[in-house]
Amino acid sequence: MNAAEAAVTEAFRLERGRAVATLVRMLGDIDAAEEAVQDAFVRALEVWPRDGVPPNAAGWIVTTAKNRAIDVVRREGSRQSRYEGAARLGDGGTEPDPASGVAERLDQPLEDDQLRLMFTCCHPALGLESQVALTLRLIAGLETRDIARAFLTPEATMAQRLTRAKRKISAARIPYRVPSADELPERVGAVLAVLYLVFNQGYGEARTDVPDLSREAIRLTRALVALLPEELEARGLLALELLTEARRPARFSADGDIVLLADQDRGLWDANLAREGRGIIADCMVKRAAGPYQLQAAIAAVHSMAPSYDRTSWPQILALYDQLWLLQPTAVVELNRAVVVAEVNGPERALSIVDGLPLERYHLWHATRANLLARLGRDDEARAAYLAGAALAPTEAERDFLEGKAR
């Protein structure tokens, strides 16, 4: 691969999502936007090795894709649709001039376009699975096969999910816009939930043959924070992702086995990510309007400051979990709180909490019970609980870990 081809590959990785977002705004059609952007990158493979990489690669791609879309409108549409489409897109040449100001002007709204498209992907009319798939495809620019591989789904199934979601956006006339001030709180919550789900999928994956979804989620969350800097929960999610990602170098052994927090080599943690995450959440918490993501980030910040597991400030973490439970009184929050209760009040008290939770189909409920039972010397029950958790584990690494604990 020569330098120009490498530049096209890198531009495709970095700019595809932004270019698609801009073309969706121009065309009002997701499939047409994706096709136009794909054609632009094919054109780049022909032109850049000959003429050199333009100084504004993103603007070049968008301008070329726009001109491709104009050609399609002229060639394939009816007389009326050609007239309307050309008017919407504006007239253009067949090749952008990298020395002109056109590329720069087109490049200005790219981040805003991504935000609009992100809210479209996360519209409440779509199911969560479709929201995640569309976000990864249209905003992150991942290929369908990579999304399917990351979520252990057949590629054909993922392709059908994407197609149905795009058809629903068209049929339901879901608007391509940032929600109004009245709608924003609810809609931001959906975007944050999707980004956090994407992050967790990547963080829990030890394989190297799938996209780095946790890093991609961090990138998208940064873009959201840049566009909505006063949205504290978005900043809280970014801090949580950074503080959690900082621990990932120590989370798996060289053989891909899971290493629990208590056993991790904290010297492997990414100090720069942790420092950035602590700075963001410290700034948020002084506003005294902490939401669930901010509180989870504060918990992660306390962990990041502890020199060892035994020297963690467990009472401080328990106080934060108490606040989190008041805002989000779910069984999963209570399960995580019980882990901290075990460190503050002992495993017997924690087990009484865990046994009262309706989470029998959740592998971490069984894993937590098993740990508490083992600490109480109830080894046969602990072994059975580890095996029950292994049977429900969503990844091979987690299944192997729980089966190993049972042995």
Side-chain angles (χ1 to χ4, degrees):
M1 182 183 294
N2 59 39
E5 291 173 340
V8 174
T9 300
E10 183 68 3
F12 188 84
R13 185 181 70 83
L14 295 175
E15 308 296 349
R16 182 190 179 281
R18 296 201 301 161
V20 167
T22 297
L23 266 293
V24 170
R25 169 173 58 82
M26 293 176 173
L27 299 172
D29 184 277
I30 292 174
D31 286 329
E34 287 193 285
E35 183 177 350
V37 171
Q38 184 69 37
D39 287 346
F41 279 103
V42 171
R43 182 63 179 153
L45 282 172
E46 299 170 355
V47 174
W48 292 7
R50 183 191 69 208
D51 300 341
V53 179
N56 185 348
W60 192 99
I61 292 294
V62 171
T63 306
T64 303
K66 175 190 171 185
N67 292 336
R68 163 64 178 164
I70 291 173
D71 291 341
V72 171
V73 167
R74 287 172 175 162
R75 184 174 66 250
E76 298 181 359
S78 65
R79 176 178 298 179
Q80 180 63 22
S81 65
R82 285 199 302 267
Y83 176 82
E84 293 173 350
R88 183 171 66 245
L89 287 166
D91 237 334
T94 58
E95 200 73 64
D97 178 4
S100 74
V102 174
E104 282 73 11
R105 289 197 301 274
L106 282 169
D107 198 31
Q108 291 303 311
L110 285 181
E111 295 294 353
D112 290 336
D113 288 334
Q114 278 195 295
L115 183 61
R116 294 187 189 98
L117 187 54
M118 194 179 298
F119 277 103
T120 301
C121 292
C122 298
H123 193 279
L126 302 173
L128 181 60
E129 290 182 342
S130 295
Q131 291 175 350
V132 172
L134 276 178
T135 299
L136 291 174
R137 174 64 182 158
L138 301 180
I139 307 299
L142 298 185
E143 296 294 335
T144 302
R145 65 175 180 274
D146 292 330
I147 303 171
R149 192 182 305 126
F151 284 87
L152 304 178
T153 302
E155 184 176 348
T157 301
M158 185 59 68
Q160 291 173 354
R161 185 177 300 162
L162 287 164
T163 298
R164 286 195 298 267
K166 287 186 281 189
R167 285 175 180 168
K168 188 163 188 177
I169 287 174
S170 178
R173 299 182 181 276
I174 293 175
Y176 175 70
R177 62 175 175 81
V178 175
S180 66
D182 292 339
E183 300 172 304
L184 199 56
E186 177 185 355
R187 296 290 300 282
V188 166
V191 174
L192 295 177
V194 167
L195 291 176
Y196 192 34
L197 182 61
V198 172
F199 174 83
N200 282 328
Q201 179 69 24
Y203 183 73
E205 185 58 74
R207 294 158 57 201
T208 58
D209 62 331
V210 296
D212 193 341
L213 296 184
S214 61
R215 292 282 178 163
E216 192 57 46
I218 290 172
R219 184 184 73 81
L220 294 175
T221 308
R222 285 190 191 279
L224 186 64
V225 169
L227 290 159
L228 299 173
E230 301 305 314
E231 178 56 52
L232 292 179
E233 277 293 81
R235 292 165 64 188
L237 176 59
L238 177 59
L240 174 60
E241 290 172 344
L242 293 171
L243 287 159
T244 306
E245 181 70 10
R247 300 200 300 257
R248 190 154 68 135
R251 189 166 188 264
F252 295 98
S253 70
D255 296 327
D257 297 327
I258 291 175
V259 180
L260 294 179
L261 180 62
D263 303 318
Q264 289 177 10
D265 178 358
R266 299 187 177 215
L268 297 176
W269 290 2
D270 189 318
N272 291 328
L273 286 181
R275 189 179 304 111
E276 182 185 1
R278 286 197 299 269
I280 293 171
I281 193 56
D283 183 62
C284 288
M285 296 298 280
V286 299
K287 306 291 195 303
R288 298 188 180 278
Y293 291 116
Q294 294 171 72
L295 289 169
Q296 290 177 76
I299 291 167
V302 176
H303 279 299
S304 77
M305 291 185 290
S308 67
Y309 188 84
D310 293 339
R311 295 172 64 187
T312 302
S313 180
W314 294 110
Q316 185 179 2
I317 292 179
L318 183 57
L320 288 167
Y321 264 116
D322 288 342
Q323 293 182 56
L324 179 60
W325 191 86
L326 290 174
L327 294 178
Q328 208 171 57
T330 67
V332 172
V333 169
E334 187 70 345
L335 178 66
N336 292 330
R337 179 179 172 276
V339 174
V340 183
V341 168
E343 303 300 330
V344 177
N345 303 121
E348 190 168 0
R349 170 68 183 128
L351 183 61
S352 68
I353 296 172
V354 172
D355 281 342
L357 299 176
L359 294 173
E360 291 86 352
R361 299 300 303 167
Y362 184 40
H363 70 292
L364 293 181
W365 179 79
H366 291 281
T368 303
R369 280 193 78 245
N371 175 268
L372 296 172
L373 289 165
R375 290 168 66 175
L376 291 169
R378 295 160 62 175
D379 290 350
D380 290 341
E381 294 173 85
R383 186 177 301 107
Y386 275 126
L387 290 173
L392 297 169
T395 69
E396 183 178 353
E398 288 174 294
R399 183 168 60 253
D400 290 346
F401 173 81
L402 293 173
E403 288 176 349
K405 296 292 285 186
R407 287 193 296 271

